[in-house]
């Protein structure tokens, strides 16, 4: 199912990119295609990000299993095992926080690029006389509100995950 979803997301991005190459579409259609394209890119990036967190969890679980085996084999003492396990947990939580921060930055950058593209199209349409000044101002206001809402959604999407990881890290350090 995961491979299917990834492939569908890839196809959606490619489809919207090809639609944007058409010159016979109206400005409002172009803006909608850009929005759909960015959304498809966001979904595709979410799949990649989820994979990154899963990879970190696998790495961490593997490290814990290795430590446990060393302890069982008698290669390390109980004290060393406890210290190394705590260090692994701290490293894991730091890695998760880092992954979340990178994801937030990537999504914010993608949203800023989407906004810049739509703004450029809107300005172009106004300069070409395709929009009246009032239509331009109305769409500009709507675009700015959407942009701020999307940035807020990006923050909230990861806020809970980040807070949980930071709380676990804080508890470990106490």
């Amino acid at each position: 199912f995961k491979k299917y979803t990834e492939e569908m997301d890839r196809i959606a991005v490619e489809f919207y990119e090809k639609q944007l190459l058409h010159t016979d579409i109206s400005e409002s259609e172009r803006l909608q295609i850009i929005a759909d394209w960015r959304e498809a890119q966001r979904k595709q990036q979410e799949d990649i990000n989820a994979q990154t967190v899963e990879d970190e969890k696998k790495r961490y679980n593997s490290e814990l299993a290795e430590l446990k085996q060393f302890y069982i084999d008698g290669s390390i003492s109980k004290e060393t095992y406890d210290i190394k396990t705590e260090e692994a947990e701290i490293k894991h939580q730091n890695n998760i926080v880092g992954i979340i921060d990178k994801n937030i930055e990537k999504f914010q950058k993608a949203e800023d690029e989407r906004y810049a593209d739509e703004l450029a199209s809107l300005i172009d349409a106004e300069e070409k006389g395709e929009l009246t000044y009032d239509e331009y101002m109305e769409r500009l206001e709507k675009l700015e509100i959407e942009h701020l809402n999307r940035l807020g959604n990006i923050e909230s999407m990861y806020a809970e995950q980040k807070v949980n990881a930071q709380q676990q890290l804080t508890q470990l350090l106490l």
Side-chain angles (χ1 to χ4, degrees):
F1 177 75
K2 189 179 257 188
K3 290 286 184 197
Y4 172 78
T5 303
E6 289 171 4
E7 183 63 12
M8 291 303 294
D9 291 342
R10 187 195 64 74
I11 290 170
V13 169
E14 188 176 313
F15 171 75
Y16 293 123
E17 286 172 349
K18 288 183 179 180
Q19 276 193 317
L20 286 171
L21 297 175
H22 293 279
T23 56
D24 60 342
I25 56 177
S26 71
E27 190 56 35
S28 62
E29 289 173 320
R30 179 171 300 287
L31 288 174
Q32 184 59 49
I33 292 168
I34 289 171
D36 292 342
W37 175 57
R38 293 290 186 191
E39 180 65 19
Q41 285 181 317
R42 185 190 63 75
K43 285 177 66 180
Q44 191 176 36
Q45 188 61 45
E46 278 181 350
D47 293 339
I48 292 167
N49 294 341
Q51 191 68 37
T52 304
V53 171
E54 286 303 312
D55 290 344
E56 171 54 27
K57 287 179 181 176
K58 287 177 186 174
R59 186 211 59 79
Y60 169 67
N61 289 331
S62 174
E63 184 176 359
L64 288 183
E66 185 178 293
L67 283 171
K68 192 175 208 174
Q69 190 61 50
F70 286 152
Y71 174 66
I72 291 169
D73 292 345
S75 301
I76 59 174
S77 68
K78 171 74 169 132
E79 183 180 343
T80 302
Y81 171 76
D82 290 341
I83 290 169
K84 292 294 186 184
T85 300
E86 187 172 325
E87 288 173 356
E89 176 68 19
I90 291 169
K91 179 181 178 184
H92 172 64
Q93 293 303 327
N94 277 327
N95 288 347
I96 293 293
V97 169
I99 290 167
I100 291 168
D101 285 341
K102 286 179 186 174
N103 290 346
I104 290 171
E105 289 173 22
K106 286 178 189 175
F107 281 128
Q108 287 173 332
K109 182 179 179 192
E111 172 54 28
D112 288 342
E113 290 172 0
R114 183 200 65 81
Y115 173 75
D117 289 346
E118 289 186 24
L119 181 59
S121 293
L122 189 61
I123 290 169
D124 188 50
E126 197 267 337
E127 287 175 351
K128 289 180 179 176
E130 296 172 2
L131 300 172
T132 66
Y133 179 76
D134 290 339
E135 290 172 326
Y136 169 76
M137 292 306 293
E138 182 181 320
R139 287 189 184 181
L140 179 61
E141 181 180 353
K142 181 181 175 188
L143 180 62
E144 289 173 349
I145 290 169
E146 286 177 1
H147 177 62
L148 293 174
N149 285 337
R150 287 176 192 243
L151 288 174
N153 290 340
I154 290 167
E155 286 288 335
S156 65
M157 181 169 48
Y158 286 106
E160 185 178 337
Q161 292 176 8
K162 186 173 179 178
V163 167
N164 288 339
Q166 288 174 329
Q167 285 175 343
Q168 289 176 8
L169 183 59
T170 301
Q171 288 173 354
L172 289 170
L173 295 174
L174 295 178

